[in-house]
Amino acid sequence: MTTDTLLISQTDKVLTLSFNRAEKKNSLTQSMYVSAIDAITQAKDDPDVHVVLIRGEQNLFTAGNDLDSFNNRKPDEKSLGIRLLEVLHEFPKPIVAAVSGVAIGIGATMLLHCDLVYASPNTRFRLPFINLGLVPEGGSSLLLPLRIGHQRAAKVLMLGEFFDTADAINFGFVSEEVVLDQLYSKANETARVLSLLPQEALLTTKRLMKQSLAEEVSSTIEDEAQEFARMLQTPESRRLRSSTLKKDK
């Protein structure tokens, strides 16, 4: 279902989800999560959808989770952000992403569950969980050390610093750098090509690529989610999030 903040459209066999909250750097709200989860879940069994494309409006991907929703979340409440990451991890069809501007927090971790990711040179990436008194999410504490080794993963997850598109390629978040004025046409064309390929062979290839780690990734996502929920309630995390919100206003 299209909303003002999450635009959903379909062209031929490609379903496109576009974050549309530019005044807040496309940060993700609870309603945006619900709409995205519903759309991707329905696409899983829809024979008319062969590929999902994720992008952002106004040359922005997303600055991640809206911090207000962290503060308003009940301790025992299931995180919709984690559910979106689970849905992306479990999605059997190809996922393409077009990234520009910023990809922060879940805006970066969701890319680990996409199959092909294109990013413009100007994009700034960051996993600032530890800077907010929190822990990694989306299986990133497993996937990043496996992809790039412990030391480089520690630089990303422990320091929480910004990194650019060239580093994002080296760190396994991005497939290819594409200049901004060609970014969305490149992602659209890739999605179109994927949608026309022999589907049984394509889906089987993705399953074979992911199956050796599938259960371990799911387990790690759950373990991270439990620690994340616990850390949200700590005085240190509350203080750091409050300070960040004040700076953003």
Side-chain angles (χ1 to χ4, degrees):
M1 178 181 68
T2 294
T3 67
D4 290 341
T5 52
L6 182 72
L7 307 180
I8 302 174
S9 61
Q10 185 167 342
T11 301
D12 298 325
K13 303 289 186 178
V14 178
L15 182 72
T16 299
L17 280 60
S18 190
F19 308 128
N20 185 38
R21 197 174 176 236
E23 72 280 4
K24 294 292 186 179
K25 297 183 180 178
N26 288 341
S27 59
L28 303 176
T29 64
Q30 299 299 286
S31 64
M32 293 168 75
Y33 282 129
V34 169
S35 297
I37 291 166
D38 287 348
I40 296 169
T41 300
Q42 292 174 24
K44 179 179 178 180
D45 298 316
D46 187 343
D48 290 326
V49 176
H50 288 180
V51 182
V52 167
L53 171 61
I54 303 175
R55 53 164 291 176
E57 295 296 307
Q58 302 298 318
N59 294 327
L60 291 167
F61 191 59
T62 172
N65 196 88
D66 188 285
L67 286 182
D68 280 329
S69 68
F70 280 151
N71 297 332
N72 297 328
R73 188 172 131 200
K74 298 176 183 177
D76 58 348
E77 188 176 48
K78 176 74 172 181
S79 165
L80 290 172
I82 298 303
R83 182 58 193 144
L84 175 60
L85 290 166
E86 290 174 336
V87 167
L88 291 172
H89 165 56
E90 296 162 2
F91 193 66
K93 302 175 183 179
I95 305 172
V96 178
V99 182
S100 60
V102 291
I104 298 174
I106 193 170
T109 54
M110 73 170 68
L111 302 178
L112 297 172
H113 303 288
C114 297
D115 300 293
L116 289 159
V117 179
Y118 301 104
S120 62
N122 70 315
T123 309
R124 301 180 76 210
F125 300 79
R126 190 184 185 197
L127 279 71
F129 302 112
I130 203 164
N131 310 82
L132 297 172
L134 299 170
V135 297
E137 65 178 10
S140 56
S141 64
L142 168 69
L143 292 171
L144 277 179
L146 285 176
R147 292 184 183 188
I148 63 175
H150 178 86
Q151 283 78 14
R152 289 202 295 170
K155 181 178 180 181
V156 175
L157 294 174
M158 293 178 135
L159 292 176
E161 297 175 340
F162 280 101
F163 53 97
D164 60 17
T165 300
D167 280 334
I169 293 172
N170 290 330
F171 295 157
F173 290 91
V174 172
S175 311
E176 183 180 337
E177 180 179 287
V178 181
V179 294
L180 184 58
D181 62 359
Q182 297 176 22
L183 175 67
Y184 300 111
S185 60
K186 173 68 173 180
N188 287 331
E189 177 60 16
T190 296
R192 187 190 72 82
V193 169
L194 288 167
S195 74
L196 297 174
L197 291 172
Q199 290 301 295
E200 184 176 2
L202 187 63
L203 269 60
T204 302
T205 296
K206 176 168 178 172
R207 177 179 60 78
L208 291 169
M209 290 172 66
K210 295 192 67 172
Q211 67 180 4
S212 65
L213 284 177
E215 291 186 9
E216 192 172 1
V217 171
S218 295
S219 176
T220 302
I221 291 174
E222 180 60 31
D223 289 345
E224 290 170 342
Q226 291 180 11
E227 292 297 335
F228 197 104
R230 182 180 67 82
M231 297 296 287
L232 273 178
Q233 308 306 317
T234 63
E236 182 179 44
S237 182
R238 290 180 182 276
R239 176 181 60 80
L240 290 167
R241 297 195 320 266
S242 177
S243 175
T244 300
L245 279 170
K246 288 177 182 177
K247 289 178 183 177
D248 290 342
K249 290 181 179 178

